[in-house]
Amino acid sequence: MKRVALDFETHYAGDYSVKNLGHARYARDSRFKCTMAAAWSPSMKVSTTPDRFPWDALDGAEIVAHNAAFDRAVFRRLQSDGIVPACIKPKIWMDSAAACAYFGIPRDLAGAVKALFGVILDKSIRNRMAGYQADLFDDTAAYAVIDAEWSWRLWERLGHKWPEAERRIHALTDEMGDRGVCLDETRAKAAIASLDASIAGLEASIHFRPIASAKALKKACEAAGEPVPPGTAAADPKVETWCRENQKANSPLWVRQVQGWRKANRTREVVRSMLDRVDPATGRMQYELKYFGAGQTGRWSGGGGLNVQNFNRQAGEAGTDLRGLIVPAPGHAFIIADYAQIEARVLLWLAGDYDFLDLLRGGMDLYEAAARKMLGYSDPRPIKEVDPGLRQLAKGMTLGLGFGMGAGKFVSAAKVLAGLDIEFDDCKRHVETYRRTNPLVVALWNRLGDAFEKRHGKPHFVLKLPSGRAIHYWNPECNGDMSCATEKGGTRYAVHPGLLAENYTQATARDLLADAWLRCADAGIRIVLSVHDELVAECPAADAPAVKAEMERIMRTPPAWPLADRLPLEVEAHVANRYGK
């Protein structure tokens, strides 16, 4: 089988880039221009304009590309424009960037080549290629073929080590985003109109300009004799505390108005972006989900300027429900299946707390079991009926304290995770209670911390997962504080035993989802969206009850890992005519 590494160079400009538009939308744009096509193999070296490229060399070939989804999108555009003959059909596309990410190697080509080969690539020509410049033809041609060659060499180094199951997950991820999902375009346009009105109303009520200017807000506060806020960022705890402490003044209202204005503008841009990504040929919104986008855990992340992972579960500004804009195709339905409390269950399984897990296997609510274990709840009746407040506390402790969190952070975490307002001294007591009543979890933290420390000064610490996959920590050091790089040759970060346990847990939860996804694919179930611990399938509406039952069976069945039968998996699934919780 012939194998060829391929690299395309294309025109880009400030507002026209893959980063902003995503590869599919970028390649469909009227501004698209491919300036160079380069290919490399031990028997081939070519870099020229697309109209002169020997496309026959790619027919039936294994194509290696660094970020193959982009190169495949460019190839398809050139084929639709008649530049690549319609008869040219590569056998398979293989992504050297994804393989690098799997092994903890930098995803970018220059970083990967430096990390694995010690060679520094000159990428300066790329910065000079914004906009098409004919006088850079020779430099661009040389640059492109060098990129193709190094893509080949990266694949030769790593491709055969990348497990087949992970290659399949990567391919399914790309196929899912390429196919996309349907959009309720009428509702989306109505949402934009509603957001327009909301933004106009906020602008009319905010009396200083520029609205986003901290200096303008400060000046307005001083002129009105109002207290000056420390900022307006909605996620800043200092701003939230200040607003509560000054709630009788007028300036906290101004802060809220600025926050609302920003959120409404951001939401409007997201809806516009969703509409802009609808492929006219299919009527479906294409999007990107980045395989191994979330570092150590291997979880997916958003990409291409639209992050479907960040769509809120509830309606936001001006009643806009971003998730609800996504709908099944006519005559079809969604099956939305979510692993329930997966991280809490996996943490207990990794720690070996099988007695606790057996309570869950017997049907007991996770947070009731936690209340009985940690908080002394002994009433035979369900805790939801008797003491829902205690259940919420057990929930907050279970979700918040499993990875070494201290009392200070638990004050805010308890509010976010369980809606609880708890004073610091009480949080300190709850932290102590959690650690006293969960000795196996604490022992897991200590085992992971000890294993990390033993690799001090060594080039690598490898944390093996139950699936057989590994988390890579590069150049671990323990000079008082623990630190490492999460990519070979990358930036160093502080770590601690609880964070190692969090990585271990989230990575295992990711592998559970990946295994279930593969088994769904084997069963003929088409997954069209995956967010966190959730799989969303699309099927004919008449088949929805049967597909739901099969997805539940698949996701509740543990993979063939050692002791996986001791992990009770719970799945919440339902049929829906639009995406939502």
Side-chain angles (χ1 to χ4, degrees):
M1 175 59 64
K2 59 181 176 181
R3 179 179 298 164
V4 179
L6 185 65
D7 181 74
F8 290 114
E9 298 303 327
T10 58
H11 155 74
Y12 67 97
D15 62 342
Y16 173 58
S17 69
V18 176
K19 182 178 179 180
N20 293 334
L21 299 178
H23 54 258
R25 176 65 185 83
Y26 173 88
R28 285 201 312 271
D29 198 275
S30 60
R31 292 167 288 183
F32 174 84
K33 182 178 181 62
C34 181
T35 58
M36 197 70 60
W40 193 96
S41 75
S43 60
M44 178 183 186
K45 180 179 178 180
V46 61
S47 187
T48 187
T49 54
D51 59 309
R52 299 174 62 187
F53 188 88
W55 297 108
D56 288 351
L58 304 186
D59 192 35
E62 295 179 345
I63 305 298
V64 175
H66 206 74
N67 295 312
F70 166 76
D71 294 278
R72 186 170 56 242
V74 171
F75 179 88
R76 290 171 177 168
R77 171 62 188 264
L78 294 175
Q79 205 158 44
S80 71
D81 288 347
I83 296 172
V84 178
C87 62
I88 303 301
K89 297 180 180 179
K91 180 181 179 181
I92 190 172
W93 291 78
M94 301 181 295
D95 193 335
S96 53
C100 287
Y102 177 84
F103 288 105
I105 306 299
R107 199 180 207 106
D108 67 288
L109 184 64
V113 170
K114 181 180 179 182
L116 283 180
F117 299 96
V119 174
I120 297 176
L121 297 183
D122 181 5
K123 307 297 284 188
S124 61
I125 180 64
R126 182 65 185 161
N127 297 328
R128 290 186 281 134
M129 284 162 51
Y132 177 63
Q133 300 179 50
D135 62 328
L136 292 178
F137 180 88
D138 290 341
D139 288 345
T140 304
Y143 171 88
V145 80
I146 289 171
D147 277 7
E149 178 180 354
W150 281 112
S151 299
W152 169 282
R153 298 194 183 283
L154 286 169
W155 184 261
E156 285 292 292
R157 176 71 68 90
L158 298 177
H160 64 285
K161 300 177 183 178
W162 192 18
E164 180 60 31
E166 287 293 331
R167 292 197 207 186
R168 284 188 64 202
I169 281 293
H170 172 257
L172 288 170
T173 300
D174 279 357
E175 290 168 9
M176 179 178 69
D178 280 347
R179 184 170 189 270
V181 291
C182 290
L183 205 62
D184 186 336
E185 296 189 42
T186 300
R187 181 180 282 200
K189 291 172 183 176
I192 289 174
S194 180
L195 288 161
D196 285 343
S198 178
I199 291 167
L202 285 165
E203 289 177 347
S205 65
I206 298 172
H207 62 283
F208 53 87
R209 295 291 186 275
I211 291 174
S213 168
K215 289 183 179 179
L217 173 58
K218 181 175 185 251
K219 185 176 179 180
C221 290
E222 290 172 344
E226 292 283 336
V228 178
T232 57
D236 188 343
K238 293 180 182 178
V239 174
E240 289 303 300
T241 300
W242 181 89
C243 285
R244 287 197 301 271
E245 292 174 348
N246 294 274
Q247 57 185 311
K248 293 184 179 180
N250 290 317
S251 48
L253 172 61
W254 303 344
V255 170
R256 298 301 187 201
Q257 289 173 332
V258 171
Q259 290 174 345
W261 178 81
R262 281 198 183 118
K263 289 178 182 177
N265 273 282
R266 282 196 298 266
T267 302
R268 182 174 63 180
E269 287 309 304
V270 170
V271 180
R272 286 173 173 168
S273 182
M274 293 171 76
L275 284 166
D276 194 43
R277 281 165 166 73
V278 173
D279 183 354
T282 65
R284 299 177 74 95
M285 181 193 81
Q286 295 176 293
Y287 67 95
E288 290 180 26
L289 206 59
K290 185 180 289 186
Y291 166 85
F292 250 79
Q296 302 300 87
T297 66
R299 287 182 181 268
W300 293 263
S301 66
L306 179 69
N307 189 354
V308 297
Q309 302 268 303
N310 283 348
F311 288 3
N312 291 333
R313 291 178 180 269
Q314 289 84 32
E317 285 65 44
T320 304
D321 176 9
L322 293 175
R323 291 189 173 202
L325 299 179
I326 298 172
V327 294
H332 289 64
F334 283 152
I335 295 86
I336 304 171
D338 188 24
Y339 276 120
Q341 308 134 354
I342 187 63
E343 288 187 16
R345 292 168 182 261
V346 168
L347 173 63
L348 293 166
W349 179 65
L350 293 172
D353 197 344
Y354 302 129
D355 290 341
F356 188 98
L357 292 172
D358 286 343
L359 295 176
L360 308 187
R361 192 186 308 280
M364 185 177 291
D365 170 62
L366 171 65
Y367 305 127
E368 177 171 330
R372 291 182 184 278
K373 178 180 182 179
M374 296 188 295
L375 301 173
Y377 183 72
S378 59
D379 195 299
R381 294 171 295 173
I383 194 172
K384 285 183 179 180
E385 300 175 5
V386 178
D387 197 341
L390 190 67
R391 181 183 181 276
Q392 283 302 104
L393 176 57
K395 177 180 179 179
M397 293 172 67
T398 299
L399 299 180
L401 300 179
F403 304 125
M405 182 182 290
K409 288 187 177 180
F410 189 53
V411 172
S412 56
K415 179 70 173 179
V416 173
L417 296 171
L420 300 172
D421 292 307
I422 310 177
E423 297 295 327
F424 175 81
D425 288 343
D426 289 330
C427 283
K428 187 175 179 181
R429 178 168 51 84
H430 295 322
V431 169
E432 293 169 351
T433 297
Y434 180 91
R435 297 181 182 184
R436 185 184 71 254
T437 56
N438 287 276
L440 293 174
V441 172
V442 174
L444 175 65
W445 302 344
N446 293 334
R447 286 199 304 276
L448 294 173
D450 290 345
F452 186 95
E453 289 183 2
K454 287 178 181 177
R455 298 298 296 172
H456 169 69
K458 301 291 195 297
H460 207 195
F461 169 51
V462 178
L463 178 55
K464 205 70 179 265
L465 301 174
S467 64
R469 182 166 73 88
I471 301 177
H472 301 270
Y473 299 90
W474 300 93
N475 303 113
E477 292 183 1
C478 304
N479 297 316
D481 295 325
M482 299 164 64
S483 66
C484 65
T486 56
E487 291 181 333
K488 187 175 182 180
T491 303
R492 299 190 67 80
Y493 296 95
V495 297
H496 57 83
L499 179 59
L500 296 175
E502 184 174 16
N503 290 167
Y504 194 24
T505 298
Q506 291 184 348
T508 300
R510 176 268 185 201
D511 289 352
L512 285 167
L513 188 79
D515 183 85
W517 189 347
L518 289 174
R519 286 184 282 136
C520 283
D522 291 340
I525 297 172
R526 186 189 291 275
I527 303 300
V528 296
L529 192 64
S530 178
V531 176
H532 306 307
D533 302 307
E534 176 183 82
L535 293 175
V536 182
E538 184 180 52
C539 68
D543 298 338
V547 173
K548 172 180 174 290
E550 180 64 3
M551 286 186 71
E552 289 174 324
R553 184 195 67 77
I554 288 171
M555 294 176 71
R556 287 193 176 113
T557 302
W561 304 343
L563 297 176
D565 60 321
R566 302 300 302 272
L567 173 59
L569 297 169
E570 184 54 43
V571 178
E572 297 173 350
H574 64 280
V575 177
N577 60 8
R578 65 178 65 243
Y579 181 47
K581 173 60 178 172

